Each structure stands twice: as structure tokens, then as C-alpha cells.
Amino acid sequence: MSSIGTRGTAVGFIGLAVVGLALTGCKSGNEEKDPAPATSPSAAQPSKSTEPDTSATPSAGGGDAPAPGTAGTAKSGQSFKIGEAATVPFSYGTDKGGTIALTVTGIEQGQPSDLAALKLGDKAKGMVPYYIRYSVKNVGTTDLSHTSVSHIRGLLPDGSEAQNISIIGTFEKCDDDSLPRDFTNGKSQTSCAVALAPSAQTKVVGAEYWGEPYDSPDGKGLTWK
């Protein structure tokens, strides 16, 4: 998961080495956030675009997130091809929900030198970054302004998880922003998550979404390959 805090020089933290994510400014999951104060834009920001209509099924009225596997939503453990949309019940806060079409659009290999900006030191020695590009489209009836769609991680060829990074600040190669104001039905945004392969010989070949409700002990995440 890549988590954006204040703008400025990016600092990275590898995987679960971070203690108390809330204290570092990292996002702890799919949650509603207050609008961020206006800041100067970074030198390079990922473009935000409107995706073409997908076959995803909108949620029923009332603004509540449907259960996985109902009303056309993705089932726990379901697999998709890269570029294929999954209809996902999206929860944030304590009493609100919605439905999104989540699409992993690509997995790009970066260069080990990209990690220098994150100041990871020897913790990232020999690792290769991969950038998981994904899009989020609101296909429900709830305004999802200023919420965060995270819980995206990379998968290695043997099915194990790639090392993830939590990022505070702006990382040009793979920026991850919260959803903008007025993120209503039909609105889309692109985003990115960083995954680390352990060496140049091992590639990140897939991605997994393991956010609620796919994070239950007996549940499985959604995968793209």
C-alpha cells in the first residue's frame, strides 16, 4: 500500500516495519477523510481521467455497500485479467458505504535507483520497485469525496505477497491520492501502489485488493494477473 501524507520530500517505510500508522500520517484503510488544505502542486502528478463505462453493476439505493457476490459484486477470491473491472462493495467510516468499479490497469517495472528518493537505505538493497496502476470509478449512489481506496499489493510468481511500502510525501513515480471532492456516480480517478520484488530475477506479476469486506479471516482478496 502506498499512503500519502503531507506534500514534500517523500519518505518510505517498508512493509509492516512501521509502528502506529496513524501517527506517521499513513492511511490505515478505506476511510473517509477531511478535505486536505490547499498546497502547491508537485512537479509531476498522475493524470486523473474519466474511464469509459464498464459492465459493473451500480449499488442499490440507500447508499449502503452490498455484500460481496451480490448485485453483481465480485466474490471473495475472484480473479480478473489486468484491465478488467471488478465491482467492489466499498465501506468507509462507520455508517456509510458505496460501490466502486476497481480496475488494475497495469504493472510497470521501475528501476532500483527510483528508491533513492524514499531514503530506504539498506532495507531496500537488491529490491526492484513495481508500480501497480489502478483506476477507481464510482458506480454507486454515494458521494465518496475524500475517501481512500488502498489495500492494493503486489503478487510474486509463486503467489506470495511482494513487499509493500508506506509513503509519506509525494513520490513522482507512483503517486496515490485520496478521491477528490464531488466524487459522485460516474466519476473516475487513477492511482498507484508500490510493490517491491526481492531481486531482479523475481518479478511482480499480479496484484491483489484485500480491503474490506475481502479482509475477513475466512475471505480471500481479489486478484489481477
Side-chain angles (χ1 to χ4, degrees):
M1 168 184 74
S2 292
S3 184
I4 299 299
T6 56
R7 297 288 177 182
T9 302
V11 178
F13 299 94
I14 292 183
L16 300 178
V18 181
V19 177
L21 293 180
L23 298 179
T24 66
C26 295
K27 294 179 295 208
S28 59
N30 294 337
E31 56 197 17
E32 188 170 14
K33 299 171 64 177
D34 293 330
T39 56
S40 58
S42 59
Q45 293 288 336
S47 61
K48 305 294 188 290
S49 61
T50 300
E51 300 287 333
D53 286 340
T54 69
S55 58
T57 303
S59 65
D64 294 328
T70 63
T73 60
K75 299 178 181 179
S76 177
Q78 191 168 349
S79 297
F80 299 87
K81 294 180 179 179
I82 289 179
E84 186 178 1
T87 304
V88 174
F90 178 73
S91 298
Y92 60 97
T94 58
D95 59 354
K96 296 180 182 180
T99 310
I100 60 173
L102 180 63
T103 309
V104 174
T105 57
I107 301 174
E108 302 172 6
Q109 181 177 338
Q111 299 296 323
S113 57
D114 296 347
L115 300 175
L118 301 180
K119 302 179 181 179
L120 297 171
D122 290 341
K123 293 181 180 179
K125 187 175 182 179
M127 293 184 174
V128 179
Y130 282 76
Y131 306 125
I132 302 172
R133 312 286 180 183
Y134 61 99
S135 66
V136 178
K137 181 176 182 179
N138 188 343
V139 295
T141 59
T142 309
D143 185 350
L144 301 178
S145 298
H146 310 300
T147 60
S148 172
V149 181
S150 54
H151 289 101
I152 302 286
R153 59 190 174 196
L155 298 175
L156 302 177
D158 63 359
S160 62
E161 301 168 16
Q163 184 68 65
N164 66 331
I165 302 179
S166 294
I167 298 175
I168 300 175
T170 299
F171 183 40
E172 290 183 356
K173 296 289 184 177
C174 189
D175 209 359
D176 172 20
D177 292 325
S178 60
L179 300 178
R181 181 186 296 276
D182 297 325
F183 198 78
T184 53
N185 180 274
K187 298 292 182 67
S188 298
Q189 176 171 288
T190 59
S191 197
C192 182
V194 183
L196 296 181
S199 68
Q201 289 72 43
T202 304
K203 298 182 180 295
V204 174
V205 297
E208 180 181 19
Y209 174 72
W210 55 284
E212 187 180 342
Y214 305 101
D215 60 346
S216 62
D218 56 347
K220 295 181 179 180
L222 308 179
T223 58
W224 284 260
K225 290 184 178 180

